[in-house]
Amino acid sequence: MQALPKCARSLYAPFTHPKHTNRIRFSPVSQPQPWTRSFHASASYRALPLAFDLYDNSGEATGAPILILHGLFGSKRNNRSISKALARDLSRPIYALDLRNHGDSPHEKEHNYVALAQDTEAFLKEHNLKDATLIGHSMGAKTVMTMALRDPSCCANIIAVDNAPVDAALLSDFPRYVEGMRRVESANPQSQKEANKILEPFAPDLAVRQYLLTNFARPGPGEPYKWRIPIHTLANSLGNLGDFPFRNPEEARFNKPALFVRGTKSHYVADETIPIIGRFFPRFQMVDVDSGHWVISENPEAFRQAVVEFLQDSE
């Protein structure tokens, strides 16, 4: 554990943060301001029922629940291995969710962080889940941050993976992925092999293509391949997904423990975002993991260790 020098602890002034520091812990530097919601953050949408998988280590995981939320174009299946590992290590049940417009969950034209947060808040209430830990990657990370700032009582702590509470346009990779997926949709390929060939110019990395193509499947035996996700809706929502619904840390603050995990080869959580993270989440810690943006799949063991250590320290 590395401590910052006293002069660098004010989160209201810029400071540099060494990219490869293993873990830095921050403490509150001032009394929290009264919490209010901005209009955008308190907008109301129809909550959708979310599909999920439960991992409870064969019934032996009986602690407080953990929810894990995937990123854009992902699904609950992406988090199968890490969910099993955390249920075993922490003896806590893990709920891996499909967010709206993904996986087996319903589709809806509204796709922004407030709508995603409201779906997940409704899931917590429906399943009577108390003192939960919320884990989210990328799109899921901004969703759990939104939940924590909308209603700090909804959870015990959060873990945000490779995203920050700032407005920042998605990397140009994602519009290219969408264009490639649209080309696949227009071509109506009869196999994943054909779809992969069409997608290759838009997603040269094989691992990324394989990730995207987990959404390309037959609805039933003998039926043609289709995207399981609404490409048009998600394409129209890319701007929303670069947004963050809270603008003013003086109006919303989460004073419970928060862990931010970022990939050392990723650009989603730049050093310049550290002060604003600290103002929204004054008790945050940060861990750097040797990976790109897809932290959990690229370095699952380092991620698992960071989560276990954080949650054991928080008990």
Side-chain angles (χ1 to χ4, degrees):
M1 191 77 67
Q2 178 176 338
L4 286 176
K6 186 174 181 180
C7 63
R9 290 182 181 171
S10 172
L11 300 176
Y12 293 85
F15 61 88
T16 57
H17 177 74
K19 182 68 173 174
H20 299 283
T21 296
N22 178 41
R23 181 185 294 257
I24 294 182
R25 187 188 300 266
F26 295 85
S27 300
V29 295
S30 63
Q31 293 298 316
Q33 301 295 319
W35 182 76
T36 60
R37 293 177 183 176
S38 69
F39 175 78
H40 181 55
S42 60
S44 182
Y45 300 93
R46 181 172 68 93
L48 303 181
L50 301 180
F52 70 99
D53 288 331
L54 173 62
Y55 301 88
D56 61 1
N57 197 27
S58 301
E60 296 183 7
T62 57
I66 297 174
L67 272 62
I68 183 164
L69 281 57
H70 59 79
L72 181 60
F73 306 134
S75 75
K76 60 184 184 295
R77 292 185 298 173
N78 301 136
N79 293 315
R80 184 179 300 158
S81 296
I82 194 64
S83 295
K84 290 179 179 178
L86 293 176
R88 180 195 66 231
D89 293 345
L90 296 166
S91 193
R92 296 176 59 175
I94 313 294
Y95 293 79
L97 305 188
D98 277 339
L99 298 174
R100 64 168 54 198
N101 295 314
H102 289 77
D104 298 319
S105 286
H107 299 174
E108 185 67 59
K109 65 178 181 179
E110 288 87 11
H111 194 90
N112 57 59
Y113 290 116
V114 175
L116 293 165
Q118 289 181 346
D119 291 344
T120 312
E121 291 162 359
F123 183 91
L124 289 171
K125 292 177 181 177
E126 177 187 358
H127 295 274
N128 195 30
L129 302 179
K130 308 292 186 182
D131 300 318
T133 293
L134 306 178
I135 302 176
H137 169 251
S138 194
M139 178 181 74
K142 278 192 172 180
T143 300
V144 302
M145 286 185 267
T146 299
M147 293 174 65
L149 294 174
R150 276 169 52 88
D151 180 9
S153 69
C154 76
C155 60
N157 44 49
I158 68 166
I159 298 173
V161 187
D162 216 51
N163 219 333
V166 296
D167 290 348
L170 298 182
L171 294 182
S172 59
D173 292 347
F174 283 95
R176 287 201 301 270
Y177 300 159
V178 166
E179 179 60 26
M181 295 164 86
R182 282 175 159 167
R183 296 288 183 92
V184 170
E185 190 171 50
S186 299
N188 194 28
Q190 300 304 304
S191 69
Q192 284 221 355
K193 183 177 180 180
E194 290 181 40
N196 178 68
K197 186 174 182 179
I198 297 168
L199 196 57
E200 186 172 2
F202 304 92
D205 189 323
L206 175 60
V208 172
R209 293 201 303 280
Q210 290 174 335
Y211 172 78
L212 297 174
L213 287 170
T214 59
N215 295 294
F216 191 67
R218 297 183 188 275
E223 296 185 36
Y225 278 88
K226 293 182 178 179
W227 290 110
R228 298 193 306 153
I229 55 178
I231 302 301
H232 182 73
T233 295
L234 294 176
N236 289 340
S237 301
L238 291 180
N240 292 337
L241 298 179
D243 193 6
F244 189 68
F246 289 91
R247 301 288 190 274
N248 187 356
E250 302 302 318
E251 296 180 348
R253 188 168 290 142
F254 184 71
N255 289 302
K256 298 177 182 180
L259 176 65
F260 283 72
V261 182
R262 63 178 181 173
T264 57
K265 301 167 188 172
S266 173
H267 302 289
Y268 274 84
V269 186
D271 293 341
E272 291 77 11
T273 66
I274 302 299
I276 196 67
I277 292 173
R279 293 178 66 188
F280 278 121
F281 302 94
R283 293 180 61 189
F284 88 101
Q285 302 174 44
M286 180 166 285
V287 172
D288 284 345
V289 168
D290 183 18
S291 74
H293 180 59
W294 315 96
V295 177
I296 300 174
S297 61
E298 292 181 42
N299 198 337
E301 178 56 23
F303 176 76
R304 184 194 67 81
Q305 290 178 5
V307 170
V308 170
E309 180 180 343
F310 170 74
L311 292 178
Q312 288 177 342
D313 288 348
S314 298
E315 291 177 354

